[in-house]
Amino acid sequence: GGQAIQFRSLQELLEITDLQDELSPQEIFESVRHLTDPEHPNLSLEQLKVVEAGHVWVNEDSNTVFVRFTPTVPTCSVATLIGLTIKAKLLRSLPQRYKVDVEITPGTHNTEDQVNKQLADKERVAAALENPALRNLINNGIAGTDKPDATLLLA
């Protein structure tokens, strides 16, 4: 006889258990690599080298995901928007227990401190994500970016 299927209530399924999967930096990179650049909508952040696999970290002890991104030029006017798009994608796709930190790779943007401060400010991020014009731009950057890598799928 085969193994009996154990039915669990919705409540049981939603409860936090010790069996939570750990996230890998590769999974995070998969989630953000296909996001598009607001100034180059036909190119992905990976193609523009704005996001790279080596610039993603996961700290399971503090439930923090950390992504560094590199604007295409030091004067990039949409650096905050790119950061918000990365942050929005991860906030929407990760379990709620994760804190998402996104910042500019040190030394790659003229107003890096200012942009990092904006991206680290929860209230400002929440307000930006509620702004209809910004939300539209962010949603456009995210649309159609879930392209799972076949090697990450379970056989």
Side-chain angles (χ1 to χ4, degrees):
Q3 207 173 2
I5 295 174
Q6 182 189 351
F7 287 95
R8 292 189 296 186
S9 69
L10 183 59
Q11 188 60 44
E12 276 181 290
L13 292 170
L14 292 174
E15 275 172 18
I16 294 175
T17 66
D18 295 335
L19 300 170
Q20 290 178 352
D21 280 347
E22 289 199 356
L23 277 175
S24 71
Q26 181 60 35
E27 287 173 298
I28 301 297
F29 179 65
E30 278 302 318
S31 184
V32 299
R33 63 189 289 200
H34 299 293
L35 295 173
T36 55
D37 185 300
E39 292 183 317
H40 309 91
N42 53 342
L43 293 172
S44 73
L45 295 185
E46 179 186 28
Q47 288 169 313
L48 292 164
K49 303 215 178 316
V50 173
V51 293
E52 297 177 62
H55 290 185
V56 179
W57 297 270
V58 178
N59 182 334
E60 285 292 343
D61 298 328
S62 64
N63 284 335
T64 304
V65 169
F66 183 65
V67 178
R68 276 206 172 129
F69 70 101
T70 306
T72 48
V73 289
T75 54
C76 175
S77 62
V78 292
T80 307
L81 178 57
I82 291 171
L84 280 170
T85 303
I86 294 169
K87 199 160 188 157
K89 172 75 193 250
L90 293 174
L91 288 171
R92 291 175 188 181
S93 48
L94 294 177
Q96 282 186 325
R97 67 179 187 272
Y98 286 98
K99 178 180 184 291
V100 176
D101 286 333
V102 175
E103 69 178 39
I104 290 179
T105 307
T108 62
H109 195 270
N110 295 349
T111 60
E112 139 194 352
D113 293 341
Q114 192 186 336
V115 173
N116 286 343
K117 219 165 154 175
Q118 289 175 333
L119 292 173
D121 185 328
K122 269 175 92 163
E123 281 73 34
R124 286 176 83 168
V125 168
L129 297 179
E130 284 169 21
N131 173 312
L134 266 178
R135 193 170 58 214
N136 212 9
L137 286 169
I138 289 166
N139 289 344
N140 287 343
I142 292 175
T145 60
D146 285 321
K147 301 174 183 173
D149 180 336
T151 63
L152 290 175
L153 298 175
L154 297 173

